[in-house]
């Protein structure tokens, strides 16, 4: 391989592979940069496709519109899940893995050629699975529960995609080894790298679970294996399916810290606390497979309670810690910058017109209040009886992966384009409003689906009027109203998503090239120096953050007990 | 930072600030509380998941459902789906299959039944509306759940696990009648047999 470097010695050949970014001061490995660019573009492409498919789903469930015929609806729903939940988010995560390892550590990326192989595998896998779904005989939903069977190339596509991701994970780990070896940093790695490592570790667990279940399922689909136990399938499949969402949580928390660092020079309140929270993710998030098995026969309540609570809510503890330390870091940085008026002066005077900052704050609030709280309630063993497989479930996870992860990723894109494509963001007005439009749309999607789910409306259901069914049932009129509002929200979210795609594509193609001069006159990441540094804030006078977490806690506790009241009203059962 | 040389610090040696310690303690205690509420509800609550289930072959379950229907059938709906009124406290069979729930059950308010639910083919969902009880149904596993209807009316069972192209057509029914209606119906059927 051509990239063997001699530790401690940077020759001329080595030097030309790097550039120093005038905006961030980061030492950027050229090969890593190209890979980051290509993975970002691929991710945004899948977001565009998957987002439009999502609109079709919402417009079909809006019973007054009822856009697609049944067969196409189930196909589009399957394709929507794969395109956004897998391909958009995971290609973006590849870019983030390379960013938080090679770029943040000022190191070269391990084995860039193999990174291209990983990219190729992921792309081929994603396209194969997409084609399989669009051919119409693999409408098995994102979950593909057996005995529902897809065509073999659907599983082959997913397996290739996973192998590519696994290679990416090892490139991340290899880059850490190289950076340590070549002494590109001292002491502990920066928090962004630590978070990236957390994501990689959970990702490896995730992919291992996927391999354990998808390979036998592939063999079953071609007839080599006769039977796959549906319950076992679910247990192991969700070791992949849910854990991969925990990678998303981890990576968007990394993005929150990263945006706050780049824009405001925010440091974590304390390195120990933020890292311990990531460590709790590694140790306990994997138990969440149980969230999907709470009303399943054949599993004991003891197992369910222990696992669904991540061993007494220790992973929730991790998220609640980040929920304090991220706004705390922003408040501390703002106060250091002189915004000290009152309890919320730091918030009022924050750069709300900067799309990266707006996206960070909206993502933080919506992930916490909508996604986080609903997730814990949904994952409570008995309360799950009220919500299992209702629209409450997609309501919850749209709050986490769309309002949370996707919005955070959108926000950081406004910084990644100037840094890695060396172009200015075009259409600044559109960019400025984009996070707000998208946030309003996705908040509506999450809330109205949760509302319909609370009324018992089934998810993944083409027609809740049951027009052609022998036996029918009338859902309340409110449920139909909620589905209508969900459709409208989806239109707003699609507009927000389109604004994002347009700004990204136009900036990459037509954006003004950033010069060294631009970096001085028009800095995009004034706080960038702290990103690659170790060290926490010293101040803990954070009245605003104390108020915010108190409000969060009260909302959490109230909503939690309200749901126990709902549960007490249904038929007694045991 | 510029005044000091870069320190080779390690994250686990950093101090813990009081504000952080308070918030972590609150979050930890809240987690413990939520954990023990689930256990408390198993002891004191009235809505809990059953822990009784058996492996069963789908055809065996189908046979038992047929025998159950023959024993207690009281009629049929317009499309010929049997309506079954089992005695209170008895074992009740409900089969889910592509794409219906079989049979229609008629239960009495305030009485308790041991409902045995299983699938004859794929996975299905049991979403009893509008009371809003949602359970998962597996092929090969029989879930035994003790159910006590606490209101009268016609309840829909909506399949809420995607089960192929007819998924949205899969609806079942449970009718809950009050004790007086049930007694009257029993008397009429006894009179009819004499």
């Amino acid at each position: 391989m051509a990239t063997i470097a001699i530790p401690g010695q940077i020759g001329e050949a080595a030097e030309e592979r790097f550039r120093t970014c005038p905006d961030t001061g980061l030492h950027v490995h050229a090969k890593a940069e190209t890979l980051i660019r290509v993975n970002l573009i691929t991710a945004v492409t899948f977001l565009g496709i998957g987002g439009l498919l999502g609109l079709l789903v919402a417009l079909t469930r809006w019973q007054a519109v009822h856009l697609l015929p049944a067969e196409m609806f189930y196909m589009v729903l399957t394709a929507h899940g794969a395109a956004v939940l897998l391909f958009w988010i995971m290609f973006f995560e590849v870019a983030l893995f390379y960013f938080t390892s090679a770029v943040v550590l000022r190191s070269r990326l391990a084995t860039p050629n193999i990174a291209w192989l990983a990219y190729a595998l992921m792309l081929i896998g994603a396209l194969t699975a997409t084609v399989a779904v669009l051919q119409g005989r693999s409408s098995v939903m994102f979950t593909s529960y057996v005995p529902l069977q897809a065509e073999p190339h659907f599983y082959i596509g997913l397996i290739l995609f996973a192998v590519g991701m696994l290679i990416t994970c090892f490139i991340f780990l290899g880059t850490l080894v190289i950076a340590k070896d070549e002494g590109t940093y001292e002491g502990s790695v920066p928090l962004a790298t630590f978070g990236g490592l957390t994501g990689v570790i959970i990702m490896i667990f995730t992919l291992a679970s996927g391999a354990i279940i998808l390979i036998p399922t592939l063999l079953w689909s071609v007839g080599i294996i006769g039977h796959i136990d549906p319950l076992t399938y679910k247990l192991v499949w969700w070791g992949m399916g849910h854990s991969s969402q925990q990678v998303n949580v981890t990576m968007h928390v990394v993005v929150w810290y990263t945006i706050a660092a780049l824009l405001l020079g925010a440091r974590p309140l304390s390195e120990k606390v933020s890292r311990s929270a990531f460590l709790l993710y590694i140790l306990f998030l994997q138990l969440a497979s149980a969230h999907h098995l709470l009303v399943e026969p054949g599993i004991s309540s003891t197992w369910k309670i222990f696992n669904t609570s991540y061993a007494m809510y220790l992973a929730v503890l991790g998220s609640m810690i980040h929920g304090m330390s991220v706004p705390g870091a922003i408040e501390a940085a703002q106060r250091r910058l002189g915004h000290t008026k009152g309890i919320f002066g730091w918030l009022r005077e924050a750069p709300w017109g900067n799309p990266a900052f707006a996206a960070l704050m909206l993502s933080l609030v919506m992930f916490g209040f909508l996604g986080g709280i609903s997730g814990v309630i949904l994952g409570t063993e008995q309360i799950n009886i009220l919500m299992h497989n209702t629209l409450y479930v997609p309501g919850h996870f749209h709050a986490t992966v769309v309002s949370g992860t996707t919005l955070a990723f959108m926000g950081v894109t406004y910084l990644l384009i100037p840094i890695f494509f060396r172009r200015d963001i075009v259409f600044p007005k559109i960019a400025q409003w984009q996070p707000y439009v998208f946030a309003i749309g996705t908040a509506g999607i999450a809330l109205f689906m949760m509302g319909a789910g609370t009324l018992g409306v089934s998810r993944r259901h083409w027609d809740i009027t049951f027009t052609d069914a022998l036996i029918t049932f009338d859902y309340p009129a409110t449920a139909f109203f909620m589905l209508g509002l969900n459709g409208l929200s989806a239109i707003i979210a699609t507009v927000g998503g389109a604004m994002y795609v347009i700004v990204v594509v136009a900036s990459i193609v037509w954006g003004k090239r950033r010069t060294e001069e631009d970096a001085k006159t028009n800095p995009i990441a004034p706080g960038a120096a702290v990103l690659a540094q170790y060290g926490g804030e010293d101040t803990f006078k954070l009245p605003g953050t104390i108020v915010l977490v108190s409000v969060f806690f009260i909302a959490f506790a109230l909503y939690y007990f309200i749901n126990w009241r709902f549960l007490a009203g249904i038929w007694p059962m045991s | 930072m510029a005044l000091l040389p870069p320190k080779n610090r390690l994250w686990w040696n950093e101090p813990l600030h009081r504000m952080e310690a308070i918030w972590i303690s609150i979050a930890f205690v809240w987690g413990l509380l939520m954990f023990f509420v689930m256990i408390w509800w198993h002891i004191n609550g009235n809505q809990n998941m059953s822990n009784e289930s058996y492996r069963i072959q789908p055809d065996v379950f189908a046979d038992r459902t047929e025998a159950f229907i023959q024993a207690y059938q009281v009629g049929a709906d317009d499309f010929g789906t049997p309506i079954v009124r089992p005695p209170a406290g008895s074992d009740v069979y409900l089969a889910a299959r592509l794409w219906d729930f079989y049979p229609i059950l008629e239960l009495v308010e305030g009485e308790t039944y041991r409902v045995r639910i299983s699938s004859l083919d794929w996975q299905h969902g049991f979403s009893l509306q509008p009371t809003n009880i949602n359970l998962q149904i597996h092929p090969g596993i029989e879930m035994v759940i003790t159910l006590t209807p606490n209101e009268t009316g016609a309840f829909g069972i909506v399949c809420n696990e995607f089960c192929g192209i007819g998924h949205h057509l899969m609806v079942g029914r449970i009718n809950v009648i009050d004790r007086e209606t049930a007694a009257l119906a029993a008397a009429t059927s006894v009179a009819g047999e004499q």
Side-chain angles (χ1 to χ4, degrees):
Chain A
M1 208 120 318
T3 49
I4 295 169
I6 301 143
Q9 182 187 338
I10 298 172
E12 273 172 40
E15 214 163 327
E16 74 179 338
R17 295 201 304 266
F18 285 88
R19 69 172 178 86
T20 300
C21 173
D23 279 306
T24 57
L26 289 164
H27 202 47
V28 183
H29 182 212
K31 288 184 176 169
E33 183 166 46
T34 317
L35 280 156
I36 288 171
R37 287 181 187 175
V38 170
N39 278 287
L40 280 179
I41 292 170
T42 313
V44 173
T45 310
F46 277 109
L47 176 69
I49 298 166
L52 285 176
L53 293 171
L55 177 66
L56 299 180
V57 171
L59 291 181
T60 306
R61 295 228 54 177
W62 184 353
Q63 289 282 166
V65 179
H66 212 46
L67 186 68
L68 301 177
E71 206 165 338
M72 193 179 280
F73 169 75
Y74 293 124
M75 181 190 85
V76 166
L77 184 50
T78 307
H80 166 63
V84 275
L85 195 53
L86 286 177
F87 308 145
W88 142 248
I89 288 182
M90 287 171 83
F91 275 111
F92 204 100
E93 281 166 354
V94 172
L96 289 176
F97 287 153
Y98 295 154
F99 174 61
T100 54
S101 58
V103 179
V104 172
L105 291 180
R106 302 160 160 269
S107 167
R108 67 189 169 86
L109 188 74
T111 61
N113 292 336
I114 296 181
W116 282 110
L117 171 71
Y119 171 77
L121 284 173
M122 287 177 72
L123 188 63
I124 293 167
L127 293 175
T128 309
T130 308
V131 167
V133 172
L134 295 181
Q135 283 173 327
R137 285 188 300 279
S138 299
S139 299
V140 291
M141 302 293 132
F142 183 68
T143 44
S144 58
Y145 290 153
V146 301
L148 208 57
Q149 196 175 62
E151 290 192 279
H153 55 299
F154 173 77
Y155 304 109
I156 292 172
L158 293 184
I159 290 168
L160 289 179
F161 183 78
V163 170
M165 192 52 162
L166 189 63
I167 295 173
T168 302
C169 289
F170 285 106
I171 291 170
F172 179 98
L173 296 174
T175 306
L176 290 198
V177 173
I178 289 174
K180 179 101 187 156
D181 231 35
E182 298 180 358
T184 63
Y185 67 97
E186 287 180 1
S188 296
V189 295
L191 183 64
T193 312
F194 192 92
L197 177 60
T198 304
V200 162
I201 291 170
I202 302 174
M203 184 69 90
I204 291 172
F205 171 88
T206 293
L207 298 171
S209 304
I212 291 170
I213 201 62
L214 283 180
I215 293 170
T217 306
L218 168 65
L219 297 177
W220 167 74
S221 76
V222 294
I224 296 174
I225 289 180
H227 174 74
I228 291 191
D229 180 62
L231 195 55
T232 310
Y233 176 93
K234 262 179 133 163
L235 173 71
V236 184
W237 193 93
W238 280 111
M240 169 183 68
H242 204 106
S243 307
S244 61
Q245 306 318 310
Q246 320 289 11
V247 179
N248 302 342
V249 173
T250 305
M251 293 319 290
H252 77 226
V253 171
V254 169
V255 165
W256 291 343
Y257 282 115
T258 301
I259 295 175
L262 291 175
L263 291 183
L264 307 171
R267 303 167 196 278
L269 286 183
S270 131
E271 293 278 8
K272 181 183 195 163
V273 170
S274 293
R275 287 171 200 233
S276 302
F278 278 128
L279 210 55
L280 288 172
Y281 282 178
I282 297 177
L283 294 175
F284 297 105
L285 279 177
Q286 283 83 343
L287 308 184
S289 181
H291 289 183
H292 306 268
L293 304 168
L294 292 177
V295 295
E296 227 76 7
I299 300 176
S300 79
S301 290
T302 315
W303 185 91
K304 288 174 182 171
I305 289 176
F306 179 81
N307 286 283
T308 196
S309 68
Y310 304 106
M312 305 193 185
Y313 292 98
L314 291 174
V316 173
L317 178 63
S319 283
M320 287 177 78
I321 291 173
H322 288 306
M324 173 211 54
S325 65
V326 175
I330 294 167
E331 179 172 4
Q334 281 286 85
R335 286 182 185 278
R336 189 156 33 73
L337 293 171
H339 306 285
T340 52
K341 215 187 298 167
I343 297 177
F344 287 119
W346 61 279
L347 208 51
R348 269 196 306 275
E349 293 163 18
W352 294 101
N354 184 318
F357 182 82
L360 153 63
M361 293 307 284
L362 293 166
S363 160
L364 175 66
V365 169
M366 291 198 293
F367 177 78
F369 279 85
L370 299 181
I373 293 177
S374 67
V376 172
I377 274 82
L378 194 52
T380 304
E381 193 219 0
Q382 295 96 334
I383 292 175
N384 190 256
I385 295 168
L386 294 174
M387 300 165 172
H388 174 75
N389 270 357
T390 68
L391 270 177
Y392 195 94
V393 179
H396 153 71
F397 71 68
H398 280 74
T400 58
V401 294
V402 188
S403 306
T405 308
T406 298
L407 189 51
F409 286 4
M410 285 173 165
V412 82
T413 314
Y414 295 116
L415 298 170
L416 297 180
I417 288 175
I419 295 173
F420 292 115
F421 290 88
R422 303 301 311 142
R423 302 248 188 194
D424 272 330
I425 299 293
V426 297
F427 310 138
K429 278 283 166 216
I430 297 179
Q432 188 181 334
W433 286 104
Q434 186 274 326
Y436 296 98
V437 176
F438 190 72
I440 290 168
T442 60
I445 289 171
L447 283 169
F448 296 127
M449 277 205 276
M450 283 194 245
T454 305
L455 297 169
V457 176
S458 166
R459 69 186 291 200
R460 295 172 170 175
H461 201 286
W462 178 66
D463 180 19
I464 62 160
T465 64
F466 308 110
T467 310
D468 300 322
L470 299 184
I471 298 175
T472 65
F473 165 74
D474 294 326
Y475 278 109
T478 329
F480 290 90
F481 184 58
M482 293 273 182
L483 290 177
L485 292 175
N486 174 55
L488 289 174
S489 305
I491 293 172
I492 298 172
T494 308
V495 171
M499 288 161 75
Y500 169 77
V501 174
I502 288 167
V503 170
V504 168
V505 172
S507 301
I508 291 173
V509 180
W510 296 295
K512 191 172 86 60
R513 289 193 183 277
R514 283 184 75 77
T515 59
E516 304 232 347
E517 200 55 37
D518 290 332
K520 287 184 201 113
T521 54
N522 174 25
I524 50 115
V530 303
L531 181 67
Q533 277 174 6
Y534 173 88
E537 292 284 353
D538 295 324
T539 172
F540 281 90
K541 281 191 186 132
L542 305 167
T545 301
I546 292 173
V547 173
L548 289 179
V549 295
S550 304
V551 170
F552 172 78
F553 185 76
I554 291 165
F556 192 169
L558 279 178
Y559 188 60
Y560 178 74
F561 288 114
I562 284 171
N563 276 286
W564 282 105
R565 273 203 64 131
F566 285 158
L567 181 71
I570 67 171
W571 295 8
M573 54 187 280
S574 61
Chain B
M1 289 303 283
L3 295 173
L4 302 163
K7 282 183 284 183
N8 197 354
R9 293 186 302 186
L10 295 168
W11 63 270
W12 56 85
N13 292 331
E14 302 278 347
L16 185 65
H17 192 271
R18 207 168 66 103
M19 176 191 161
E20 294 171 314
I22 292 172
W23 176 243
I24 293 170
S25 306
I26 291 172
F28 180 70
V29 171
W30 171 239
L32 283 186
L33 186 133
M34 291 194 295
F35 178 77
F36 285 109
V37 166
M38 289 193 282
I39 297 169
W40 183 87
W41 193 269
H42 263 280
I43 299 162
N44 297 300
N46 290 322
Q47 291 80 13
N48 280 296
M49 281 306 294
S50 154
N51 273 296
E52 187 179 353
S53 58
Y54 304 96
R55 287 273 176 201
I56 190 164
Q57 291 298 322
D59 52 339
V60 174
F61 189 82
D63 290 346
R64 289 183 188 170
T65 307
E66 280 304 335
F68 162 74
I69 292 169
Q70 289 204 333
Y72 304 118
Q73 180 168 3
V74 292
D77 78 348
D78 296 348
F79 301 99
T81 309
I83 300 173
V84 181
R85 191 184 304 142
S90 69
D91 279 22
V92 174
Y93 287 82
L94 181 68
R97 60 188 185 184
L98 303 169
W99 286 287
D100 68 353
F101 290 93
Y102 190 73
I104 294 172
L105 299 172
E106 207 155 275
L107 308 180
V108 178
E109 179 193 9
E111 298 291 354
T112 298
Y113 302 85
R114 274 165 57 81
V115 183
R116 294 170 171 268
I117 311 175
S118 190
S119 164
L120 303 186
D121 33 59
W122 291 356
Q123 288 187 50
H124 296 288
F126 172 95
S127 178
L128 187 65
Q129 300 297 338
T131 184
N132 205 9
I133 293 173
N134 301 280
L135 306 170
Q136 189 78 18
I137 313 174
H138 277 263
I141 305 176
E142 178 183 37
M143 176 194 272
V144 186
I145 193 138
T146 307
L147 213 52
T148 312
N150 63 4
E151 54 195 330
T152 58
F155 293 83
I157 310 170
V158 179
C159 176
N160 67 1
E161 180 62 62
F162 176 69
C163 55
I165 188 59
H167 167 53
H168 48 272
L169 305 175
M170 184 169 169
V171 187
R173 178 168 303 294
I174 294 180
N175 295 321
V176 182
I177 54 180
D178 60 26
R179 284 205 172 98
E180 282 165 28
T181 316
L184 203 65
T188 332
S189 80
V190 169
E193 278 165 26
Q194 285 169 351

